[in-house]
Amino acid sequence: MVVEEPFKLSIQQDIQLRFVVPGDAEEIRALCEDWFPIEYPETWYRDITSNPKFYSLAATYRNKIMGLVVGEVKTRARCNKEDQGILASSFPDNSHVAYILSLGVAKEFRRLGIASLLLDTLYTYVSRETNCRALFLHVLATNHVAIEFYEKRNFRRSTYLPYYYSINGVPQDGFSYVLYMNGGRPPWSLRDYASFCANGLSQMCRFPLRALHATQYFFYRFCSWRKNKSPSYKKIPSGTL
C-alpha cells in the first residue's frame, strides 16, 4: 500500500495517541516483526497490551497503529544485573528508574517527529508522575540510526554489552543508553576520579601562592600605614634666628 504524501502529515491534526488494548496484540506483532530483528515471544505481546505495569502508547493514523512506545517503571533492585549500575551508589535500591522496552515507527511514517512525540510523552510521564531518576534502554551496537536519535535527545552511553543480543542465532553486541532526571546521576567513572584528584591537587598548589599574595598585601598596607603615621617636621626659614 502506498501512503500518499506522508510528509504533509500534521502531528497535531492527523496523529492521535492512545493506550493499547488486548485487541491490538496481532497488529503490534506484525509491526514489531517488520521493525526489529528480534523475535518476541507470544507472552510479550500479551503482557504489553494487557498488563497495567507497562506504559504502552500507540500513535495512530486513520485508526491504524503506525508508532509504538513501551516502557516500564521499576526499582533499581528489580533491574537486570547489567543495569543496576546505571545510578550512583548513593541512591538506594528502591530508587525508581524507567526502561524503554520498545520504540518504533512504520517506515512510511518515519522522520515526521512521531518517534520524538512518543518518547517525549513517555519522558513526561515518568519524570513527573513516578519521580524516576533515569530513563534507559538497550540498543544494538550496529544500529547507528537509533544511537544517533537517542544521543540527539541527550541520552548518554552507559554500558557496553558484549553478545547481548542473538540475531538469527548470531551473537550481537549492544549498548545501554541513559537519560538522567530528577537529580539522578551516574556512578563516578575513572575520568571523574582523575578529574577530582587533579582539581584537589590544583587547589593545594594554589594555597601557598594565595598565602604569599595575602602576606604581600598586608605588608604593603602596614608600610603605608606607618608612613602616614610618622612625625613630620616643619622647616625653619633661614635668617629668623
Side-chain angles (χ1 to χ4, degrees):
M1 179 182 69
V2 178
V3 177
E4 296 181 358
E5 299 183 348
F7 291 95
K8 292 186 178 180
L9 288 173
S10 168
I11 290 179
Q12 291 79 8
Q13 297 178 0
D14 300 301
I15 302 301
Q16 295 182 341
L17 299 181
R18 67 167 176 83
F19 290 107
V20 303
V21 296
D24 296 321
E26 288 304 316
E27 186 177 1
I28 292 174
R29 178 203 295 275
L31 290 170
C32 288
E33 288 177 352
D34 181 55
W35 296 344
F36 309 119
I38 301 169
E39 275 190 46
Y40 294 105
E42 176 74 24
T43 54
W44 189 82
Y45 296 101
R46 184 168 61 249
D47 287 342
I48 67 169
T49 56
S50 61
N51 193 326
K53 76 174 184 178
F54 294 108
Y55 182 94
S56 301
L57 187 69
T60 64
Y61 175 67
R62 295 178 181 175
N63 297 321
K64 296 291 184 180
I65 296 176
M66 26 67 61
L68 176 73
V69 64
V70 181
E72 180 187 6
V73 176
K74 59 178 78 176
T75 62
R76 182 170 68 168
R78 289 186 54 242
C79 292
N80 294 335
K81 184 178 179 180
E82 64 270 15
D83 298 320
Q84 292 182 2
I86 63 174
L87 289 176
S89 58
S90 57
F91 291 92
D93 287 342
N94 62 354
S95 299
H96 284 92
V97 295
Y99 176 54
I100 301 176
L101 288 79
S102 182
L103 173 61
V105 175
K107 292 178 182 178
E108 61 268 30
F109 291 96
R110 291 175 185 171
R111 300 189 181 278
L112 298 176
I114 296 170
S116 296
L117 175 63
L118 290 167
L119 180 62
D120 290 345
T121 306
L122 173 64
Y123 172 84
T124 300
Y125 168 73
V126 299
S127 62
R128 296 181 181 178
E129 303 297 330
T130 67
N131 196 34
C132 280
R133 302 293 187 175
L135 176 64
F136 73 102
L137 61 110
H138 300 135
V139 61
L140 273 166
T142 55
N143 192 346
H144 304 296
V145 174
I147 289 173
E148 182 181 2
F149 171 83
Y150 289 113
E151 289 182 344
K152 283 184 177 179
R153 285 149 186 85
N154 298 318
F155 282 77
R156 56 184 292 179
R157 185 178 299 179
S158 174
T159 310
Y160 169 61
L161 304 169
Y163 306 128
Y164 191 76
Y165 295 97
S166 178
I167 309 299
N168 297 322
V170 179
Q172 299 284 341
D173 299 339
F175 295 116
S176 63
Y177 271 79
V178 186
L179 178 63
Y180 292 97
M181 62 187 74
N182 296 325
R185 61 183 183 275
W188 273 25
S189 64
L190 290 176
R191 179 180 296 180
D192 295 326
Y193 282 109
S195 177
F196 176 79
C197 292
N199 288 336
L201 183 61
S202 175
Q203 293 297 325
M204 291 176 62
C205 293
R206 289 177 184 176
F207 178 77
L209 185 60
R210 290 177 180 176
L212 176 62
H213 289 167
T215 302
Q216 290 175 336
Y217 172 76
F218 284 113
F219 180 76
Y220 170 78
R221 292 294 300 270
F222 177 76
C223 292
S224 298
W225 178 81
R226 291 282 296 177
K227 183 177 180 180
N228 293 332
K229 289 294 183 180
S230 60
S232 59
Y233 299 95
K234 186 176 180 180
K235 185 177 180 180
I236 302 175
S238 58
T240 59
L241 294 178

